[in-house]
Amino acid sequence: MAINFVCHFAASIPGSFYLRTLVVGLVLISVVRSGVPKIQPFSFPEELSFGKSVRGLCSVEIPTKSLRFNWKKDGEIIKPNNNLRISYSEGYSVLEISSVTLNDVGNYTCEVESPLGSTRFSSPLILKFPPVWKQKPTNKTVVKGDNVIVNCAAIGFPLPVVVWFRKKEDSWQELKYLTNAEQNENGSLVIRNAGYSESGEYKCVVRNSVGDQLSKIIFLKVYVPARFEEKFGVVTAQKGESARLQCDAQGDQPLSVTWSNSSNTLSKTSGSGYEIFETLTPKGINSELIIRETLPQDGAIYSCLAENEHGRDERKVKLLIQEVPSPPPGVSVREVWTRSSSITWLVPYSGNSPISNYIVQYWRDHKGTRRLNEKTVPSSQTFAMIKNLRPGTSYIVTITAENSVGKSLPSDPAMLTTGEEEPDAPPMDISVHAKGTNTITVTWKAPPRENWNGQLEGYYVGYRVIDLSETYSYETEQFSPSLEHDHFLTNLMKGTKYGIIVKAFNAAGTGPPTQEILVSTLDGDLPASPKLYVQSTTRSTVTLKWNVDSPSHASVTGYTVQYRRESGRWHQATAVPSENDYYTVTGLQDETAYEFYVTAANKYGAGDPSEIITVITGDIDSGFASSLSGQRGHGYMDLAIIVPVAAAVAAVGVVVAVSCVWQRKIRLRHRLERAMSERTYTPYAGIPVGQVTVGQRFPDMDKTWPPGHSDNNPPLSNPDPYSAVPPRVQNGDLRKASSTQEMRTYFAQDARIQGLSGSKQDVRQIRNSQYSNSLK
C-alpha cells in the first residue's frame, strides 16, 4: 500500500523521467529507515565476581512480527551450553549466564534482523579480579652472545602491569635503569647479545588494582665458551730482536690455550728459542709466546687454540721479521747522453717493512780514489735521472733500497759511458825551442783528465810565420799515454819567427788552442852526431870514448853523457869539456845492462845524439873493449883482425854469430824506437838561447845526483835524457829520420845471459862467442 502511494505521488510530479525516479528513491529510503527496528540499549552489571549469574536483555522499541535475534561474543556467534542459555520472545531476547567465569568475560553483541533491515548493539561484560599467571617466567641458561627472551604474562581486570627487576649488590633495580636489557610490550624480558655480565637474578612483578600482585624470581646463567674477540693479528719484529705474540682468551674456567706453528705444537717446557707465559684474567687467560732472538725463518703464522667445556676458538698471529731490503734487481741503463743518463730498476723484497726511498750511487770508473755521488729517489718510483756527468766518461751505478730497519746491500753494478764532447781545455805546460835552423821542437802535457770529455786521439800542432800569415798550418801528433808529448816542426825557414799553438782533439771534435808562443829558428848549424865507443868496463864503471868527424868539430863547446838502466830513466852523467873525448861513468851495479849516448853542443844548441850502445858491467881489458866498440886507431885492437880469425877457427860459429847479431839488431831497434817515442829535450845548459822567447822546459830527474858524482863534480843542472833527442836528420828533414839507426851492444865480463843459470862460470863459457858477434 505504501508502495502504491509512492508510485501515484511520483506520477503526479511534473518533469522528466530522471527527476521522478530520484524522488521515488528518496521517498523509499525514508520509508525503509523509518521501518527498521531499534534496539533498546542494555548493559551488564559493573561489579561482578566469580560464580555470580548475569542476564542481558535485548529488545526493540516497537515490536513487530518476523524479527530474528542473534548473540555474539567478541564477534563470534555464541553457542548455548549448560552455563549459558538464550531465550527468545516476541520483541526481545535474553542472554543468561548461570555462573560467571573468566571465559565469559568479553564484548557481547545483539543483532536484530527484520524484512526492512537489521541493527545491532554491543555491551562488554567485565569481571574485576586480581592478576592470575598466564605464563610464569623460568630460569634460563644461555651461551654468551645469544639473545635471551624470558616470558612473563598474567590476566586480570583491570589489565595487569608487568615490571622486571634485577638484583644488583643485594638490592633490586628496575630494568629500565639497565642498559643491556629491555622489556617488550607483552611483558617479556629481552637481552640481546648476552654477555658474561648479564648473569644474575631477575624478578618479574605483575599487579593491578584488584587483589595482591604476582612475583616470580628467576636466575639467568650466561655460559662463556672459549673464544677470542680478535681472530687475527700481526706482529712485527726486527731481525735479531725479541718478538712477543699474545692471545687473550675469554671463557669459563677451566680454560686452556695451546700454541702451534705450521702444525707443530709448541711445548711450554721447550727451550728451543722461545718461552710461553700465561696469566689469569677476570675474563679468561692471557697467553704470551716470546721468541728471544728472531731469525728470518721465524716469520710464519702462529695459532693459539683456546678450549673449555662450552666450546673452542682459534686465533692466528702472523709474525713478520723485519730486515733490510734486498738489493734492487734489474738495474739497467735506459738512455745515455753526454752529461746525463736515466737508470731503471725493479722493486726488491721490502724486508717486511715498507721501502722509504732508494739511493742511487754512482762514481767514475777509474783507478785510485773514487768520488761517490748519491741521489735519493722516493719509493714510489723505480727510475732516476743522473745529471752533471762528465762527457766521454765511464761510470759505475748501483742502487740501494732503504726501509725503517736500514739500507740494503748495493745492487749489481751497471756500467754506463757518456757520449763524448770536444775537449774543453787546452794542453798544459807548452814549451817550444829552436833545435836548429830549420827545426823547432814543441813539448806539452795533456789537458787535465777531467777536461778530455772522452778519449783523446791526438793533437794538432799549429804554426805560422809571424807578420806574414794569419792562418796556421797544422801537423798531427798521435796521442800517447806518456806524461809529456813533443813534436818536431821541420823544413822551416832559417832565422824566422814563428807562432806556435797546440790543440787536443777526440772523436767529438777539437778543443781550444793554447796561447800562442813565439820562437825563432836559428841562424847557424848544430854539431854532427858523435861516434861512441866503449873503451873499458869494470864491475862498477864504464869508460866511453867518442870522436866527431865533422868540419864543425872545432866549434863544439862541450859534450853531454847520458845513461840509464834498460827501460829506466835517463841520467846525465856530467858536462864534458870540448877538449876531452872520453869519460868514465862510475857507481854502476855489477852485471847490469846500461845504455849510453853522447851529445855534442855548440853555441846554437845540442846536435844529434850518438847511437845508443848497451853495455853489461863486468871486468874486461881495454884492448878487447876497443875492438868490440868498432873504433880504429889509437893503439887499440882492430875488429877486422878478430873477425877473420874467428871465421877461420869456427866457420859454423860465424854463421851462428851472424844470426845472433841480426836478432839483437831487431831488439835494439825496437828499444831505440821506444826511447825516441818518450823523448823530452832541453838544450844544453849554458848555451846561449837568446833567440828563444820562452822559458826552458826540463824533464823530471831523480832528486839525487847519479852515482859517481861529488859536490866538486856536479852534473849539469838540467840534463837532457836521450828520449828527448830527435832522430838523426836525413837530407835536412827530421821527419824522414830513420828509426833503424845502428846500436852497438857490449857484453861485459860475467854478464848474465838469458836462458842460463846466471852463474859467472856459465857466462864466461859463452863470453868469447858473444863478444865476437857484438854490433858495430
Side-chain angles (χ1 to χ4, degrees):
M1 197 170 111
I3 295 174
N4 292 332
F5 172 77
V6 171
C7 292
H8 288 294
F9 176 75
S12 64
I13 297 175
S16 63
F17 173 78
Y18 296 104
L19 180 60
R20 289 196 296 269
T21 302
L22 177 61
V23 172
V24 172
L26 293 174
V27 172
L28 287 175
I29 291 173
S30 176
V31 172
V32 170
R33 290 183 63 85
S34 63
V36 175
K38 184 177 180 180
I39 300 175
Q40 292 182 347
F42 65 91
S43 63
F44 296 100
E46 295 182 359
E47 298 293 336
L48 283 179
S49 60
F50 289 103
K52 290 185 178 182
S53 62
V54 63
R55 291 183 181 85
L57 176 62
C58 178
S59 62
V60 296
E61 292 181 353
I62 301 176
T64 58
K65 295 182 179 180
S66 302
L67 296 178
R68 189 173 65 179
F69 292 86
N70 293 317
W71 287 89
K72 292 182 179 180
K73 177 178 178 288
D74 298 330
E76 299 290 336
I77 296 177
I78 299 175
K79 295 180 179 181
N81 54 39
N82 294 332
N83 190 44
L84 188 150
R85 292 182 301 169
I86 299 175
S87 60
Y88 302 96
S89 181
E90 185 176 350
Y92 66 92
S93 176
V94 177
L95 173 66
E96 182 178 3
I97 301 176
S98 301
S99 178
V100 177
T101 64
L102 287 177
N103 294 329
D104 298 325
V105 175
N107 190 35
Y108 288 83
T109 301
C110 177
E111 292 183 352
V112 178
E113 296 180 356
S114 69
L116 297 178
S118 63
T119 184
R120 64 175 59 83
F121 182 83
S122 298
S123 177
L125 189 153
I126 299 174
L127 179 64
K128 289 187 177 181
F129 58 93
V132 177
W133 287 116
K134 183 178 181 181
Q135 189 173 12
K136 280 186 178 183
T138 58
N139 294 335
K140 284 284 187 178
T141 300
V142 296
V143 176
K144 181 182 178 181
D146 291 348
N147 295 329
V148 179
I149 299 178
V150 182
N151 294 320
C152 181
I155 59 174
F157 193 85
L159 187 66
V161 177
V162 178
V163 180
W164 280 94
F165 296 86
R166 182 181 178 182
K167 194 171 186 179
K168 284 282 190 177
E169 298 178 356
D170 298 331
S171 63
W172 292 98
Q173 296 181 7
E174 193 172 341
L175 189 65
K176 65 181 180 180
Y177 301 111
L178 304 178
T179 58
N180 297 334
E182 62 182 14
Q183 179 180 318
N184 282 345
E185 293 180 356
N186 62 3
S188 299
L189 172 66
V190 178
I191 301 176
R192 303 184 188 280
N193 192 21
Y196 186 80
S197 59
E198 275 69 54
S199 296
E201 292 182 273
Y202 293 81
K203 180 170 67 173
C204 179
V205 176
V206 183
R207 56 175 176 260
N208 63 6
S209 59
V210 180
D212 297 331
Q213 66 181 16
L214 299 178
S215 177
K216 177 64 171 153
I217 297 175
I218 66 165
F219 187 81
L220 175 63
K221 175 64 177 177
V222 180
Y223 289 107
V224 182
R227 63 182 299 272
F228 295 102
E229 290 186 353
E230 295 182 357
K231 305 298 184 182
F232 189 81
V234 178
V235 175
T236 59
Q238 294 188 11
K239 176 183 175 181
E241 297 181 353
S242 62
R244 183 185 299 268
L245 286 66
Q246 292 187 351
C247 281
D248 190 6
Q250 299 181 5
D252 293 337
Q253 299 292 347
L255 178 64
S256 64
V257 177
T258 305
W259 286 89
S260 63
N261 176 11
S262 301
S263 72
N264 296 324
T265 301
L266 304 180
S267 172
K268 296 180 181 179
T269 60
S270 175
S272 57
Y274 66 88
E275 295 177 310
I276 297 177
F277 298 96
E278 291 184 348
T279 305
L280 293 177
T281 64
K283 296 182 179 181
I285 292 178
N286 182 23
S287 181
E288 293 182 332
L289 172 63
I290 298 177
I291 302 175
R292 290 188 290 270
E293 186 175 351
T294 56
L295 298 174
Q297 56 266 30
D298 293 326
I301 296 179
Y302 294 81
S303 300
C304 49
L305 179 65
E307 293 181 290
N308 64 4
E309 60 180 338
H310 306 295
R312 58 190 296 175
D313 197 9
E314 187 178 31
R315 166 179 164 83
K316 294 184 180 296
V317 181
K318 184 176 183 179
L319 176 60
L320 296 177
I321 305 301
Q322 294 181 335
E323 53 186 328
V324 296
S326 298
V331 179
S332 62
V333 179
R334 179 185 295 178
E335 294 181 274
V336 180
W337 297 274
T338 58
R339 295 180 181 269
S340 60
S341 177
S342 61
I343 309 297
T344 62
W345 60 90
L346 301 177
V347 177
Y349 166 64
S350 65
N352 292 321
S353 178
I355 295 176
S356 58
N357 56 267
Y358 298 97
I359 300 174
V360 181
Q361 298 178 326
Y362 57 98
W363 61 90
R364 293 189 186 184
D365 182 18
H366 62 80
K367 297 180 180 179
T369 304
R370 68 183 187 184
R371 179 184 176 186
L372 181 65
N373 300 277
E374 291 187 346
K375 178 182 177 67
T376 301
V377 178
S379 60
S380 59
Q381 67 185 54
T382 55
F383 64 90
M385 179 70 71
I386 304 176
K387 299 181 179 181
N388 300 323
L389 303 179
R390 293 296 306 174
T393 305
S394 295
Y395 288 86
I396 299 176
V397 182
T398 61
I399 311 297
T400 301
E402 185 174 12
N403 61 10
S404 60
V405 181
K407 298 179 181 178
S408 71
L409 294 174
S411 66
D412 293 336
M415 303 291 297
L416 68 90
T417 301
T418 54
E420 293 189 357
E421 293 181 0
E422 62 271 9
D424 54 15
M428 302 186 302
D429 298 342
I430 180 173
S431 176
V432 296
H433 300 282
K435 298 299 292 184
T437 57
N438 305 106
T439 304
I440 294 176
T441 179
V442 185
T443 61
W444 66 90
K445 293 182 180 178
R449 184 63 181 84
E450 60 271 14
N451 299 112
W452 290 11
N453 295 339
Q455 179 59 48
L456 294 184
E457 294 186 356
Y459 302 89
Y460 293 126
V461 181
Y463 61 97
R464 70 184 181 94
V465 177
I466 300 299
D467 300 331
L468 291 181
S469 174
E470 295 293 335
T471 304
Y472 290 97
S473 298
Y474 290 92
E475 294 186 5
T476 303
E477 179 73 21
Q478 296 300 318
F479 175 79
S480 65
S482 59
L483 179 63
E484 194 167 50
H485 307 270
D486 56 12
H487 182 79
F488 285 89
L489 297 173
T490 60
N491 296 329
L492 304 179
M493 293 184 292
K494 181 178 180 181
T496 304
K497 182 181 291 187
Y498 286 87
I500 310 298
I501 61 172
V502 180
K503 297 189 293 185
F505 68 88
N506 58 17
T510 305
T514 61
Q515 185 177 1
E516 185 180 53
I517 298 179
L518 304 180
V519 64
S520 297
T521 55
L522 301 180
D523 288 331
D525 295 325
L526 298 175
S529 174
K531 295 181 180 180
L532 182 61
Y533 306 91
V534 178
Q535 185 171 347
S536 64
T537 67
T538 67
R539 296 183 183 275
S540 61
T541 65
V542 172
T543 300
L544 304 174
K545 186 174 178 61
W546 60 85
N547 57 39
V548 178
D549 296 332
S550 172
S552 62
H553 174 69
S555 63
V556 173
T557 58
Y559 301 95
T560 301
V561 177
Q562 302 279 353
Y563 75 97
R564 69 173 180 179
R565 297 178 64 176
E566 282 190 317
S567 301
R569 296 181 58 186
W570 287 101
H571 300 278
Q572 180 174 301
T574 187
V576 182
S578 60
E579 59 270 17
N580 294 343
D581 59 356
Y582 66 92
Y583 181 77
T584 300
V585 181
T586 62
L588 306 179
Q589 295 183 6
D590 187 19
E591 298 183 0
T592 303
Y594 286 89
E595 294 178 333
F596 299 88
Y597 74 88
V598 176
T599 303
N602 62 9
K603 64 179 181 178
Y604 299 108
D608 290 337
S610 67
E611 300 168 349
I612 296 177
I613 62 174
T614 302
V615 180
I616 299 177
T617 55
D619 291 334
I620 189 171
D621 56 23
S622 60
F624 195 71
S626 64
S627 68
L628 292 180
S629 67
Q631 180 180 356
R632 289 182 172 83
H634 303 285
Y636 299 103
M637 295 179 63
D638 197 330
L639 187 61
I641 299 175
I642 299 176
V643 174
V645 173
V649 174
V652 177
V654 173
V655 176
V656 175
V658 171
S659 300
C660 293
V661 168
W662 285 108
Q663 290 178 4
R664 181 164 297 278
K665 276 191 174 184
I666 294 173
R667 287 196 297 271
L668 294 178
R669 181 183 303 119
H670 292 167
R671 186 178 299 126
L672 176 60
E673 292 174 352
R674 183 171 65 253
M676 296 303 294
S677 66
E678 299 175 354
R679 61 188 180 273
T680 303
Y681 179 74
T682 301
Y684 176 74
I687 296 178
V689 289
Q691 297 88 346
V692 182
T693 60
V694 297
Q696 302 290 340
R697 295 296 302 169
F698 302 110
D700 295 333
M701 301 295 293
D702 288 343
K703 295 182 179 181
T704 60
W705 290 348
H709 298 288
S710 63
D711 295 338
N712 297 328
N713 187 21
L716 286 177
S717 59
N718 293 292
D720 296 332
Y722 184 74
S723 60
V725 179
R728 185 180 302 278
V729 177
Q730 293 185 1
N731 299 326
D733 188 355
L734 285 174
R735 289 174 297 180
K736 298 178 181 180
S738 174
S739 61
T740 60
Q741 297 179 11
E742 183 179 6
M743 295 179 291
R744 295 191 178 98
T745 303
Y746 175 69
F747 291 89
Q749 182 181 5
D750 301 334
R752 297 185 183 274
I753 305 302
Q754 184 177 6
L756 299 179
S757 63
S759 66
K760 296 182 179 180
Q761 182 178 359
D762 294 333
V763 173
R764 291 190 179 95
Q765 290 175 358
I766 64 169
R767 186 182 64 183
N768 293 333
S769 61
Q770 291 289 347
Y771 289 163
S772 62
N773 292 285
S774 298
L775 292 178
K776 294 184 179 179

